[in-house]
């Protein structure tokens, strides 16, 4: 699973009690941050401050506040695991 709709991502956030207003401006109007390659990630450095060759990043899903532009990142594997668990329980959401 690589892409999520805003409604699917909101389902994950509500289930994890993480659906909160923007900590910068207080509004609750989020958009998913899309990257042209379809993958966002946080670069990983080793203890010596050098770039690691593998893995080179932690995949994330980005949200951007539609009011002020504040960015929030969530580790993609937690969202994927949530929907895998839901599917395993046969919740009928089609994921």
């Amino acid at each position: 699973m690589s892409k999520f709709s805003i409604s699917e991502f909101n389902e994950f956030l509500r289930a994890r009690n993480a659906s909160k207003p923007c900590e910068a401006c207080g509004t609750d109007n989020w958009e998913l941050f899309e990257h042209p390659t379809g993958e966002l990630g946080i670069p990983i450095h080793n203890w010596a401050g050098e770039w690691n060759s593998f893995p080179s990043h932690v995949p994330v899903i980005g949200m951007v506040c539609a009011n002020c532009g504040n960015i929030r990142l969530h580790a993609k594997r937690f969202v994927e695991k949530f929907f895998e668990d839901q599917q395993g329980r046969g919740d009928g959401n089609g994921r």
Side-chain angles (χ1 to χ4, degrees), residues 6 29-34 62-67 70 72:
I6 190 70
N29 189 8
W30 296 95
E31 299 174 2
L32 289 180
F33 184 80
E34 300 288 338
M63 301 169 53
V64 62
C65 176
N67 183 57
N70 183 40
R72 237 186 234 175

Side-chain angles (χ1 to χ4, degrees), residues 4-70:
F4 298 93
S5 70
I6 190 70
S7 62
E8 290 168 329
F9 193 63
N10 282 333
E11 178 184 347
F12 163 77
L13 293 174
R14 282 190 300 274
R16 297 294 187 241
N17 196 29
S19 183
K20 309 286 185 196
C22 176
E23 46 287 302
C25 71
T27 63
D28 194 13
N29 189 8
W30 296 95
E31 299 174 2
L32 289 180
F33 184 80
E34 300 288 338
H35 189 272
T37 66
E39 182 84 10
L40 290 175
I42 298 173
I44 299 173
H45 291 76
N46 64 24
W47 288 107
E50 301 165 349
W51 293 100
N52 283 346
S53 59
F54 183 80
S56 62
H57 69 284
V58 174
V60 297
I61 297 174
M63 301 169 53
V64 62
C65 176
N67 183 57
C68 74
N70 183 40

